[in-house]
Amino acid sequence: MIQPKYYKQASTRKGIGDDAAILRHTNEEVIVSVDTMVEDIHFSTMTTEPFHIGYRALAANISDIAAMGGKPTSYLVSIVIPKKWSAKSLHQIYDGMKQLAKDYRMDLIGGDTVSGKQLTLSITVIGTVNADKVRYRNSAREDDIIFVTGTLGDAACGLHLLLNKDQMYSDKYQYFLNRHQLPPQPRIDFINTCTAIDRITLNDVSDGIANELNEIADASHKKLVIDFDTIPVHTLLADFTKEQQTAWKLSGGEDFELVGTVSVDNWIQLKEAALKTNTPITAIGKVKNDAKNNGSVWLNHNNQLKKLDKSGYTHLRR
């Protein structure tokens, strides 16, 4: 285990070096998120360098903290190491995490290291949030505006290009490669600028909005209706087939953006927070109360309204 030279958070009373870490948080709720990534399922050395693996793994967990309305404070790393992995490559994985953690003053407070046949990286992130500012999936209400940050389908397009190198015929697609290997920083600053808004429903886009919106619809017991043409994408996505664009927009994974709902009265306030933190934000639909269809998501496309089922991110291998 890599030993930090010092700890940044006052809440870290004891980090690495004993049987367990000791944290002290007062007057705030503690958020805990854990995610496990396995080589050749969630990542591949064909498409990502060791540095990218560490960065992306930590970003996934920090994005979960953002979706709860919190801020990250510390993390633990457990890693299964095959013999084929060099010490240099392992340090690069930690360097990727360290670079992202530095931006949020996060402390590495522990973990475990064991040998095994397949590189497996399990990260636990701890964060805090004021008790009255926790953002849950079950708080969407009728007439809320559905919104999403950033652009969608970028990471899925980047993965496609990396797996089909014969299609990488232009440097102009470097943007998509970067979005897969080094996703944008989780929207912590944005959501922590929205604390004056009492109610925001959130989910992070790790498996595609078809999946994330269905989770909100189910938890809130509401019908969500989105307009296909308003879903924000990078202009270069138009270079690919209509089928690819549709799949990446709706089901592309690992964009780590935020999708959610907010009241009409608070929409302007939300946009002001987005502007202040340089966060692109787009309204893509409305929340409805429909007794027959509550708990579902509907897509308005080509003047037709169709039910949008879960169709989340497909990993490299099932």
Side-chain angles (χ1 to χ4, degrees), residues 34-44 48 52-62 64 78-80 93 97 118-123 180 183 206-207 254 256 313 315:
V34 62
D35 202 6
T36 301
M37 294 190 175
V38 181
E39 185 178 6
D40 295 329
I41 296 178
H42 302 94
F43 64 85
S44 168
T48 47
H52 302 144
I53 293 169
Y55 188 101
R56 291 171 66 243
L58 185 58
N61 285 86
I62 296 176
D64 287 334
S78 292
I79 187 167
V80 179
I93 290 176
M97 290 184 280
Q118 200 167 18
L119 184 73
T120 303
L121 189 61
S122 184
I123 297 178
H180 171 70
S206 55
D207 294 322
E254 298 191 328
F256 301 130
Y313 175 54
H315 296 299

Side-chain angles (χ1 to χ4, degrees), residues 160-161 163-170 173 240 244 248:
H160 168 80
L161 291 169
L163 292 174
N164 298 273
K165 294 183 183 295
D166 57 309
Q167 296 186 26
M168 294 170 57
Y169 52 82
S170 174
Y173 296 130
F240 299 88
Q244 288 172 323
W248 295 338

Side-chain angles (χ1 to χ4, degrees), residues 145 147 149 189-197 200 262-283:
I145 293 173
F147 67 89
T149 64
D189 290 344
F190 163 65
I191 206 59
N192 279 276
T193 307
C194 301
T195 54
I197 301 175
I200 307 173
V262 70
S263 71
V264 174
D265 291 341
N266 290 132
W267 174 238
I268 297 297
Q269 200 172 356
L270 191 74
K271 290 200 295 182
E272 288 173 350
L275 183 63
K276 186 176 180 179
T277 56
N278 196 30
T279 304
I281 190 170
T282 307

Side-chain angles (χ1 to χ4, degrees), residues 151-225:
T151 52
L152 300 181
D154 297 340
C157 179
L159 177 61
H160 168 80
L161 291 169
L162 288 162
L163 292 174
N164 298 273
K165 294 183 183 295
D166 57 309
Q167 296 186 26
M168 294 170 57
Y169 52 82
S170 174
D171 290 341
K172 70 178 181 177
Y173 296 130
Q174 186 62 44
Y175 166 82
F176 294 120
L177 307 186
N178 292 342
R179 282 292 297 255
H180 171 70
Q181 295 174 331
L182 289 175
Q185 287 197 348
R187 303 297 187 179
I188 295 291
D189 290 344
F190 163 65
I191 206 59
N192 279 276
T193 307
C194 301
T195 54
I197 301 175
D198 290 334
R199 183 180 57 82
I200 307 173
T201 306
L202 290 175
N203 209 352
D204 83 303
V205 185
S206 55
D207 294 322
I209 61 167
N211 183 75
E212 324 304 358
L213 287 175
N214 267 285
E215 289 181 343
I216 291 175
D218 181 61
S220 298
H221 197 59
K222 290 291 183 289
K223 174 182 176 181
L224 274 58
V225 180

Side-chain angles (χ1 to χ4, degrees), residues 25-318:
H25 292 288
T26 58
N27 303 321
E28 288 183 307
E29 303 286 359
V30 176
I31 310 170
V32 181
S33 172
V34 62
D35 202 6
T36 301
M37 294 190 175
V38 181
E39 185 178 6
D40 295 329
I41 296 178
H42 302 94
F43 64 85
S44 168
T45 53
M46 293 174 54
T47 61
T48 47
E49 299 294 332
F51 181 92
H52 302 144
I53 293 169
Y55 188 101
R56 291 171 66 243
L58 185 58
N61 285 86
I62 296 176
S63 186
D64 287 334
I65 301 296
M68 298 301 294
K71 54 185 177 183
T73 58
S74 52
Y75 64 110
L76 300 94
V77 179
S78 292
I79 187 167
V80 179
I81 307 170
K83 291 182 179 179
K84 67 177 181 178
W85 278 78
S86 67
K88 179 181 178 181
S89 293
L90 292 173
H91 275 278
Q92 289 172 341
I93 290 176
Y94 277 93
D95 285 344
M97 290 184 280
K98 183 178 179 181
Q99 176 171 308
L100 187 58
K102 181 180 178 181
D103 293 334
Y104 300 105
R105 295 182 55 79
M106 295 173 65
D107 289 327
L108 174 61
I109 60 171
D112 195 15
T113 303
V114 297
S115 59
K117 295 182 178 180
Q118 200 167 18
L119 184 73
T120 303
L121 189 61
S122 184
I123 297 178
T124 300
V125 169
I126 298 167
T128 60
V129 62
N130 290 336
D132 59 347
K133 297 301 178 185
V134 182
R135 310 302 186 179
Y136 294 113
R137 295 174 185 168
N138 65 356
S139 63
R141 297 179 185 171
E142 186 177 9
D143 294 328
D144 275 3
I145 293 173
I146 303 170
F147 67 89
V148 69
T149 64
T151 52
L152 300 181
D154 297 340
C157 179
L159 177 61
H160 168 80
L161 291 169
L162 288 162
L163 292 174
N164 298 273
K165 294 183 183 295
D166 57 309
Q167 296 186 26
M168 294 170 57
Y169 52 82
S170 174
D171 290 341
K172 70 178 181 177
Y173 296 130
Q174 186 62 44
Y175 166 82
F176 294 120
L177 307 186
N178 292 342
R179 282 292 297 255
H180 171 70
Q181 295 174 331
L182 289 175
Q185 287 197 348
R187 303 297 187 179
I188 295 291
D189 290 344
F190 163 65
I191 206 59
N192 279 276
T193 307
C194 301
T195 54
I197 301 175
D198 290 334
R199 183 180 57 82
I200 307 173
T201 306
L202 290 175
N203 209 352
D204 83 303
V205 185
S206 55
D207 294 322
I209 61 167
N211 183 75
E212 324 304 358
L213 287 175
N214 267 285
E215 289 181 343
I216 291 175
D218 181 61
S220 298
H221 197 59
K222 290 291 183 289
K223 174 182 176 181
L224 274 58
V225 180
I226 60 171
D227 188 340
F228 181 84
D229 292 332
T230 64
I231 298 173
V233 295
H234 192 279
T235 54
L236 287 176
L237 209 70
D239 289 359
F240 299 88
T241 68
K242 294 291 186 183
E243 291 76 13
Q244 288 172 323
Q245 291 179 53
T246 298
W248 295 338
K249 285 170 67 171
L250 298 176
S251 307
E254 298 191 328
D255 285 314
F256 301 130
E257 295 291 352
L258 292 177
V259 65
T261 80
V262 70
S263 71
V264 174
D265 291 341
N266 290 132
W267 174 238
I268 297 297
Q269 200 172 356
L270 191 74
K271 290 200 295 182
E272 288 173 350
L275 183 63
K276 186 176 180 179
T277 56
N278 196 30
T279 304
I281 190 170
T282 307
I284 62 171
K286 295 278 285 188
V287 176
K288 307 289 185 181
N289 188 18
D290 180 345
K292 288 183 62 177
N293 295 297
N294 282 338
S296 62
V297 180
W298 294 76
L299 181 69
N300 185 6
H301 188 205
N302 294 330
N303 294 319
Q304 291 186 321
L305 199 62
K306 295 183 179 179
K307 188 176 180 182
L308 181 62
D309 293 320
K310 286 188 176 183
S311 55
Y313 175 54
T314 301
H315 296 299
L316 298 174
R317 174 170 58 84
R318 286 292 185 188

